[in-house]
Amino acid sequence: GENVEQHPSTLSVQEGDSAVIKCTYSDSASNYFPWYKQELGKRPQLIIDIRSNVGEKKDQRIAVTLNKTAKHFSLHITETQPEDSAVYFCAASIPGRRALTFGSGTRLQVQP
Amino acid sequence: EAGVVQSPRYKIIEKKQPVAFWCNPISGHNTLYWYRQNLGQGPELLIRYENEEAVDDSQLPKDRFSAERLKGVDSTLKIQPAELGDSAVYLCASSLDSGADQPQHFGDGTRLSIL
């Protein structure tokens, strides 16, 4: 089955700096890669997603890049703010199962 | 648009007791998922429904877990009997359909603690 690895597990940045979280996946047939933000005790919230026919997608301060050849994708957050502090999860679709395999999460802390 | 609604938010029970969780998906969403999230980890799929049919329950521990979605809308997930290792957050999600690139929207989850 699909395996998704995510790193780093924790990331601390100063307010205004950029943050990058990276994920790799194992099944080359995976074609959908969402990113979720989860604040403590709250639901995972979809913040951005990318499909395999696109190499990059941007939404304001958030961008995701996909390298299908290397089977990795990354989340980029620019001009970080304290409210960006949360746990971020990457995920990949499971071909044939139409469900998501999640990474283990990255705890991002933005220091004011 | 109302999001995915789950209840209860918290549940504390003793081991060997039964417990049930309820989920109301986003209106019009045909596909419903139950995930389990252990502390410090990402969600893991337990079961997926297409309307009222369970089409993927390969990760559901069927000796003690059961689920139903009788009218293709609300769903319940049951554990009987509960074990200490079942302590986790149980998340429900829904999507418009089961396309592999359909966004999944999550509820707030039910945090289960087994004493």
Side-chain angles (χ1 to χ4, degrees), chain A residues 1-48:
Chain A
E2 177 72 282
N3 183 47
V4 176
E5 295 189 359
Q6 180 172 349
H7 59 95
S9 57
T10 60
L11 179 60
S12 182
V13 300
Q14 291 294 317
E15 182 177 0
D17 288 350
S18 295
V20 180
I21 303 170
K22 299 182 180 181
C23 289
T24 59
Y25 60 98
S26 60
D27 195 324
S28 57
S30 293
N31 61 353
Y32 175 63
F33 308 91
W35 286 88
Y36 287 85
K37 174 184 180 183
Q38 188 174 31
E39 297 177 60
L40 190 63
K42 296 192 176 180
R43 69 182 70 190
Q45 261 190 314
L46 179 67
I47 57 172
I48 195 168

Side-chain angles (χ1 to χ4, degrees), chain A residues 31-32 36 38 41-46 49 51 89 93-94 96-105, chain B residues 3-4 9 33 35 37 40-43 45 48 56 58-59 91 98 100-104 106-108:
Chain A
N31 61 353
Y32 175 63
Y36 287 85
Q38 188 174 31
K42 296 192 176 180
R43 69 182 70 190
Q45 261 190 314
L46 179 67
D49 57 12
R51 290 162 177 80
F89 290 98
S93 64
I94 306 175
R97 289 192 63 201
R98 297 178 178 176
L100 297 173
T101 297
F102 284 81
S104 54
Chain B
V4 176
R9 286 296 318 275
Y33 311 78
Y35 288 86
Q37 185 174 25
Q41 298 180 22
L45 181 73
R48 172 170 67 94
D56 184 354
S58 57
Q59 300 303 310
L91 292 164
S98 65
D101 63 349
Q102 284 295 314
Q104 295 182 27
F106 285 84
D108 285 328

Side-chain angles (χ1 to χ4, degrees), chain B residues 9-73:
Chain B
R9 286 296 318 275
Y10 305 93
K11 191 72 177 180
I12 302 174
I13 62 172
E14 293 184 343
K15 62 181 180 182
K16 300 184 181 180
Q17 294 301 304
V19 64
F21 316 124
W22 175 82
C23 173
N24 179 242
I26 293 173
S27 177
H29 280 197
N30 296 324
T31 306
L32 184 146
Y33 311 78
W34 283 102
Y35 288 86
R36 177 167 57 190
Q37 185 174 25
N38 292 312
L39 190 63
Q41 298 180 22
E44 296 178 322
L45 181 73
L46 291 173
I47 189 168
R48 172 170 67 94
Y49 279 93
E50 296 296 334
N51 298 303
E52 66 274 9
E53 183 181 0
V55 295
D56 184 354
D57 62 356
S58 57
Q59 300 303 310
L60 190 72
K62 297 181 184 62
D63 57 335
R64 298 182 300 105
F65 285 67
S66 64
E68 60 183 13
R69 194 184 184 199
L70 291 176
K71 296 184 179 179
V73 180

Side-chain angles (χ1 to χ4, degrees), chain A residues 34-103:
Chain A
W35 286 88
Y36 287 85
K37 174 184 180 183
Q38 188 174 31
E39 297 177 60
L40 190 63
K42 296 192 176 180
R43 69 182 70 190
Q45 261 190 314
L46 179 67
I47 57 172
I48 195 168
D49 57 12
I50 191 168
R51 290 162 177 80
S52 58
N53 58 345
V54 176
E56 183 174 359
K57 183 177 178 180
K58 190 173 181 180
D59 183 2
Q60 299 182 5
R61 297 186 296 107
I62 295 173
V64 57
T65 58
L66 171 65
N67 184 325
K68 289 172 56 180
T69 302
K71 292 189 286 186
H72 68 69
F73 55 113
S74 300
L75 178 71
H76 305 252
I77 306 175
T78 59
E79 301 172 21
T80 55
Q81 302 167 2
E83 51 264 39
D84 294 329
S85 297
V87 179
Y88 291 81
F89 290 98
C90 63
S93 64
I94 306 175
R97 289 192 63 201
R98 297 178 178 176
L100 297 173
T101 297
F102 284 81

